[in-house]
């Protein structure tokens, strides 16, 4: 067998929960602009909390869409709700409202 100086990495997979559709519909009902997000990263680039912590709005958004809720509530507490992310969003996603509603949904889920 020829060695070309690289190896093929193992495929990575994400375990998606079965009930995420209901959770997504709930969030879309509360924050309709949630559907317009294209995950461009503008919010993460301007985030004040992101400059001092590992807070990443785009990552939180993706994890919620995939149904990965472990540690998400703690991560959301890092947000200062300053609203800079909402100001720079090219799609007009109300990220501040999104964070607030994500906190509410996840806190009810953990009870």
């Amino acid at each position: 067998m020829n060695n070309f100086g690289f190896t093929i990495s193992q495929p990575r997979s994400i375990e998606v929960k079965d009930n995420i559709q209901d959770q997504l519909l709930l969030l879309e009902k509360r924050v309709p602009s949630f559907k317009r997000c294209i995950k461009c990263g503008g919010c993460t680039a301007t985030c004040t909390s992101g400059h001092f912590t590992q807070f990443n709005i785009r990552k939180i958004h993706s994890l919620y869409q995939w149904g990965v809720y472990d540690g998400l509530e703690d991560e959301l507490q890092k947000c200062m709700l300053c609203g800079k992310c909402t100001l720079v969003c090219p799609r007009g996603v109300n990220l501040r409202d999104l964070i607030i509603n994500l906190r509410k949904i996840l806190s009810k889920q953990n009870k």
Side-chain angles (χ1 to χ4, degrees), residues 32-48:
S33 62
F34 171 67
K35 294 187 281 190
R36 294 194 303 250
C37 179
I38 55 173
K39 296 184 183 78
C40 67
C43 54
T44 301
T46 61
C47 180
T48 304

Side-chain angles (χ1 to χ4, degrees), residues 5 10 14 34 51 53 55 67 69 74 77 81 87 101 111:
Q10 297 297 321
I14 298 171
F34 171 67
H51 292 299
T53 66
F55 184 68
Y69 307 132
D74 293 333
Q77 295 305 318
L81 297 173
L87 292 173
N101 280 288
K111 289 182 180 180

Side-chain angles (χ1 to χ4, degrees), residues 4-28:
F4 293 106
F6 65 91
T7 59
I8 298 174
S9 61
Q10 297 297 321
R12 294 184 287 166
S13 63
I14 298 171
E15 300 268 340
V16 178
K17 296 183 180 180
D18 296 332
N19 64 346
I20 62 169
Q21 189 65 29
D22 296 335
Q23 296 296 328
L24 287 173
L25 290 174
L26 175 64
L27 189 58
E28 286 174 7

Side-chain angles (χ1 to χ4, degrees), residues 14-24 27 34 39 59-72 102 105-106 109-110:
I14 298 171
E15 300 268 340
V16 178
K17 296 183 180 180
D18 296 332
N19 64 346
I20 62 169
Q21 189 65 29
D22 296 335
Q23 296 296 328
L24 287 173
L27 189 58
F34 171 67
K39 296 184 183 78
K59 182 179 176 183
I60 289 171
H61 190 266
S62 296
L63 290 173
Y64 186 80
Q65 281 187 317
W66 297 331
V68 181
Y69 307 132
D70 297 334
L72 205 52
L102 275 173
I105 290 169
L106 291 172
Q109 217 176 35
N110 292 335

